[in-house]
């Protein structure tokens, strides 16, 4: 029998960033050290019933003290980039005034450690941990928070711009606005659709002003971006009503940020869909111009597709829109839309595994914004990982998930998407917001009582891909 020669393995270009991601509140701990004050997540965690079993990020995985060990692990895993976030209440505790040096020093040391290990630092300025004092003064629904954010961005950029070349302003502003102020399943836990829309606008404004502030203090070589959790939408059926549900959720889930950030205006259909709630008078003349700043790359976070219908009847009671249950809707102006379980295998979050959604997002963006480089800034899966008798953690489902999504990125690149990097969520098992420590997304297992780190088998597999640039199939596939 003649053997057919094996097809060459998909290969990623030299210089492609192979990373893993974390965020400050989810990993740092040291919540009351070196001048850090409470963020909205500290407050939310202390509010009974908000977070699984009352878990908090007070200790998290103690990355603040163990970052050297964690960078060593990254180096062992062949990572070439690390995406982390800067904690606003650690560097500017009240959200205004001068920076706290100890806070900045932590990120200086972290960046230095990374650079010494040949790992590119990629910093996000805001991954949901608003200083509580700014929330008490009105939070993101208030316009002054956008101003505060630009000031904070300038402080951090000035202090760290000599070491960090890749920056994102916000992580997933959709979650900040619509889970934080709409459904209330995230901090600060408000359930007011108009506050959510106001928050979305002020996050957009904060983004634009932060980009301008950063350009003023960073070297010309700095590469600026924002990371969005874009929804890969599917109609339940081909009916006109289901197609319209896709349009509506695309407006309030995706184009509410893509429109002003990349094209200079809110979509007309979004304004019409929400006209019964607000006249959008909080958008002032000149805001669009401030928000619409040139970006050097766009971060895309993707986990699972979103299936919608034009009528709520028959829809799954569990929300298919991300994190946690909650009874209020995170979708202003979309009360008639039903959310459905996407078919296929599920992760421990209940999210369907479907890499075609990632291909859909990347090729869609490439089509509309051909000049804009892309990075997949988050992608990954939670599973019920356990330490085996041999002390190892075998997680073949996660390896299969990562493999399938990297293959989708490779296909998207062949179809014209300019994808420059990939960041697995997450480097370590960590504090998964309203789910506490119950959900494990890490490439590296963390024993939450001893904080011992153990790379899972997916981490070993990923290391092989990162080292070779070739997408090896997982054993058994
Ligand atoms: C994203 C968040 C990240 C993590 C993953 C699972 O929405 O940005 O912090 O919670 O989901």
């Amino acid at each position: 029998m003649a053997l057919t020669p094996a097809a060459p393995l998909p290969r990623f270009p030299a210089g492609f960033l192979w990373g893993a991601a974390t965020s400050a509140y989810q990993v740092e701990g040291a919540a009351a050290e070196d001048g850090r004050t409470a963020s909205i997540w500290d407050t939310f965690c202390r509010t009974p019933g908000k977070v699984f079993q009352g878990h908090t990020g007070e200790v998290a995985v103690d990355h603040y003290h163990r970052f050297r060990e964690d960078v060593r692990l990254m180096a062992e895993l062949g990572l070439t980039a690390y995406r982390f976030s800067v904690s606003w209440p650690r560097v500017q505790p009240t959200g205004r005034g001068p920076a706290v040096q100890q806070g900045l020093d932590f990120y200086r040391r972290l960046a230095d450690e990374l650079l010494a290990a040949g790992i590119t630092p990629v910093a996000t300025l805001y991954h949901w941990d608003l200083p509580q004092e700014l929330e008490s003064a009105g939070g993101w629904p208030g316009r002054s928070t956008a101003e505060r954010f630009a000031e904070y961005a300038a402080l951090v950029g000035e202090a760290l711009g000599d070491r960090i070349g890749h920056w994102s302003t916000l992580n997933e502003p959709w979650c900040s606005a619509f889970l934080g102020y709409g459904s209330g399943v995230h901090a600060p836990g408000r359930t007011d659709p108009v506050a959510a829309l106001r928050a979305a606008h002020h996050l957009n404004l904060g983004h634009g002003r932060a980009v301008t502030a950063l350009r003023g203090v960073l070297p010309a070589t700095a590469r600026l971006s924002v990371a969005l959790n874009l929804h890969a939408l599917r109609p339940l059926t081909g009916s006109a009503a289901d197609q319209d549900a896709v349009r509506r959720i695309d407006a309030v889930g995706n184009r509410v940020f893509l429109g002003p950030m990349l094209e200079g205006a809110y979509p007309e259909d979004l304004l019409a869909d929400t006209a019964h709630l607000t006249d959008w008078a909080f958008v002032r003349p000149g805001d669009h111009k401030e928000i619409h700043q040139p970006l050097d790359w766009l971060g895309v976070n993707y986990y699972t597709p979103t299936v919608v219908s034009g009528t709520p009847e028959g829809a799954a009671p569990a929300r298919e829109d991300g994190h946690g249950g909650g009874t209020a809707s995170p979708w202003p102006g979309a009360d008639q839309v039903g959310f459905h379980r996407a078919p296929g295998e599920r992760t421990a979050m209940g999210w369907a595994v479907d890499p075609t959604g990632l291909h859909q997002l990347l090729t869609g963006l490439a089509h509309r914004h051909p000049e804009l480089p892309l990075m997949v800034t988050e992608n990954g899966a939670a599973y019920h990982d356990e330490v085996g008798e041999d002390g190892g953690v075998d997680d073949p489902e996660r390896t299969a998930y990562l493999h399938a999504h990297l293959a989708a990125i490779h296909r998207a690149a062949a179809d014209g998407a300019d994808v420059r990097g990939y960041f697995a969520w997450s480097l370590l098992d960590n504090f998964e917001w309203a789910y506490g420590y119950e959900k494990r997304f890490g490439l590296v297992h963390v024993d939450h009582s001893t904080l011992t780190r153990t790379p899972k088998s997916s981490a070993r597999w990923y290391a092989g891909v990162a080292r070779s640039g070739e997408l090896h199939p997982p054993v058994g596939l």
Side-chain angles (χ1 to χ4, degrees):
M1 191 176 68
L3 286 176
T4 31
L9 292 173
R11 191 161 236 309
F12 285 80
F16 187 86
L17 291 181
W18 293 102
T22 64
S23 88
Y25 191 70
Q26 294 178 276
V27 298
E28 282 181 8
E33 274 178 56
D34 297 336
R36 183 187 179 281
T37 54
S39 75
I40 53 175
W41 270 96
D42 296 88
T43 310
F44 196 67
C45 289
R46 282 196 295 264
T47 313
K50 296 295 183 192
V51 174
F52 177 77
Q53 292 188 355
H55 292 175
T56 77
E58 227 159 288
V59 176
V61 297
D62 198 31
H63 188 57
Y64 191 73
H65 297 113
R66 295 170 198 241
F67 69 94
R68 291 204 166 84
E69 174 187 350
D70 293 337
V71 173
R72 263 200 309 280
L73 268 171
M74 292 180 224
E76 267 170 46
L77 296 177
L79 301 192
T80 57
Y82 176 48
R83 174 177 182 258
F84 59 94
S85 80
V86 176
S87 160
W88 191 347
R90 191 179 292 294
V91 307
Q92 195 193 31
T94 59
R96 60 188 87 229
V100 167
Q101 286 311 311
Q102 292 109 300
L104 288 173
D105 283 345
F106 168 67
Y107 299 102
R108 286 199 184 95
R109 288 193 300 268
L110 173 60
D112 286 347
E113 200 75 11
L114 290 165
L115 292 170
I119 299 171
T120 300
V122 179
T124 300
L125 286 168
Y126 185 73
H127 199 127
W128 307 354
D129 45 358
L130 187 70
Q132 177 57 45
E133 237 176 272
L134 293 188
E135 173 57 26
S136 306
W140 286 109
R143 191 174 172 91
S144 63
T145 302
E147 262 151 66
R148 300 272 79 79
F149 182 61
E151 272 175 34
Y152 154 72
L155 287 179
V156 178
E158 202 156 18
L160 302 172
D162 56 347
R163 297 163 161 86
I164 300 178
H166 281 288
W167 296 85
S168 298
T169 53
L170 306 170
N171 174 72
E172 301 193 354
W174 183 84
C175 293
S176 300
F178 296 102
L179 301 182
Y181 297 92
S183 70
V185 299
H186 277 191
R190 283 159 69 176
T191 51
D192 171 353
V194 178
L197 291 169
R198 294 177 61 99
H201 178 59
H202 297 133
L203 284 153
N204 275 323
L205 188 61
H207 157 79
R209 290 183 174 178
V211 169
T212 304
L214 287 170
R215 295 262 186 233
V217 296
L218 292 176
T221 48
R223 292 287 165 258
L224 307 190
S225 68
V226 62
L228 302 178
N229 59 314
L230 296 174
H231 300 82
L233 291 158
R234 309 274 162 83
L236 184 65
T237 72
S239 73
D242 292 359
Q243 301 283 359
D244 191 60
V246 166
R247 178 204 57 73
R248 208 172 264 269
I249 298 304
D250 185 43
V252 71
N254 298 335
R255 289 181 284 121
V256 60
F257 301 107
L258 291 172
M261 285 178 179
L262 300 186
E263 298 178 12
Y266 284 101
E268 287 297 329
D269 59 331
L270 171 67
L271 306 185
D273 291 346
T274 53
H276 60 293
L277 295 170
T278 172
D279 59 5
W280 290 72
F282 47 82
V283 181
R284 301 217 185 131
D287 284 1
H288 284 136
K289 200 155 173 262
E290 282 196 81
I291 298 168
H292 187 204
Q293 296 301 320
L295 297 178
D296 303 304
W297 54 277
L298 179 71
V300 177
N301 295 359
Y302 173 79
Y303 291 89
T304 190
T306 303
V307 180
V308 295
S309 63
T311 49
E313 286 91 60
R319 305 210 77 93
E320 287 291 291
D321 47 19
H323 306 259
T327 45
S329 168
W331 302 105
D335 295 341
Q336 293 311 306
V337 173
F339 290 82
H340 303 264
R341 293 195 164 274
E345 254 173 73
R346 303 183 168 280
T347 69
M349 299 294 279
W351 297 350
V353 178
D354 185 349
T356 63
L358 183 53
H359 179 273
Q360 175 184 332
L361 289 178
L362 296 174
T363 52
L365 285 165
H367 184 71
R368 205 163 165 107
H369 304 282
E371 305 305 323
L372 189 60
L374 304 170
M375 297 227 221
V376 175
T377 32
E378 283 183 30
N379 174 242
Y383 289 105
H384 301 291
D385 306 314
E386 275 165 26
V387 182
E389 269 166 27
D390 60 354
V393 181
D394 195 24
D395 58 341
E397 308 95 329
R398 182 172 291 100
T399 305
Y401 181 100
L402 298 175
H403 175 263
H405 286 78
L406 282 164
I409 294 170
H410 195 266
R411 280 198 303 280
D415 294 338
D418 179 8
V419 189
R420 307 279 178 94
Y422 176 82
F423 294 81
W425 182 272
S426 178
L427 176 69
L428 302 152
D429 290 339
N430 59 44
F431 175 76
E432 182 46 41
W433 308 114
Y435 296 91
Y437 297 97
E438 215 249 329
K439 301 290 185 230
R440 296 180 174 275
F441 274 92
L443 293 170
V444 176
H445 179 274
V446 178
D447 177 324
H448 290 301
S449 44
T450 61
L451 299 177
T452 303
R453 276 90 161 129
T454 308
K456 303 177 190 175
S457 56
S458 60
R460 304 281 176 216
W461 174 82
Y462 185 57
V465 176
R467 286 218 173 81
S468 64
E470 280 182 347
L471 193 55
H472 299 274
V475 180
L477 268 195

